[in-house]
Amino acid sequence: QVQLEEFGGGLVQAGGSLRLSCAASGRSFSSYTMGWFRQAPGKEREFVAGINWSGGWKYYTDSVKGRFTVSRENAKKTVYLQMNSLKDEDTAVYYCATGPRATTDGNGYDAWGQGTQVTVSS
């Protein structure tokens, strides 16, 4: 079993930056894909970024390409999401998740964190 906890959310002005981190405990971290998802009020949860166990697979949704960077430190059992040039539409609750395969489909992840709020003000 694995537990995930996100850190780093908050209020930031448009154009600013935040770095989210997600710490894992429990099962082996280094063998699993890590994903970041978000859910804005009134909207469905969407995939944001993902990274496989080695970092050889990274994937971003189109709306964050060039602005967000996903990375991981397996020794620290932590995954990061560096978010730059933030926009109003990035406002959402951000969740990290882990699963056995590299996928953008949320159904492919079997453990989720509680989420952290990111609010971008203009």
Side-chain angles (χ1 to χ4, degrees):
Q1 198 167 3
V2 62
Q3 292 79 42
L4 303 174
E5 186 173 10
E6 302 93 341
F7 300 92
L11 174 64
V12 62
Q13 288 190 331
S17 298
L18 280 176
R19 188 175 82 154
L20 305 183
S21 59
C22 172
S25 60
R27 73 184 183 197
S28 174
F29 174 83
S30 59
S31 302
Y32 289 83
T33 290
M34 299 299 297
W36 286 99
F37 294 77
R38 66 187 179 187
Q39 187 166 21
K43 295 188 177 181
E44 293 187 353
R45 183 185 65 197
E46 66 168 341
F47 173 86
V48 176
I51 182 169
N52 76 336
W53 67 275
S54 68
W57 177 84
K58 293 183 183 180
Y59 198 86
Y60 301 91
T61 193
D62 285 346
S63 62
V64 308
K65 284 179 181 177
R67 300 189 298 121
F68 290 12
T69 302
V70 62
S71 61
R72 64 190 294 162
E73 288 189 78
N74 287 340
K76 294 184 177 181
K77 293 188 175 183
T78 301
V79 63
Y80 305 97
L81 185 67
Q82 178 67 44
M83 307 186 294
N84 299 329
S85 302
L86 283 160
K87 304 176 180 180
D88 291 352
E89 52 263 42
D90 296 317
T91 294
V93 178
Y94 284 71
Y95 300 88
C96 70
T98 183
R101 58 190 179 93
T103 179
T104 63
D105 184 351
N107 293 321
Y109 293 80
D110 56 11
W112 295 77
Q114 293 298 308
T116 186
Q117 177 70 47
V118 171
T119 303
V120 183
S121 66
S122 56

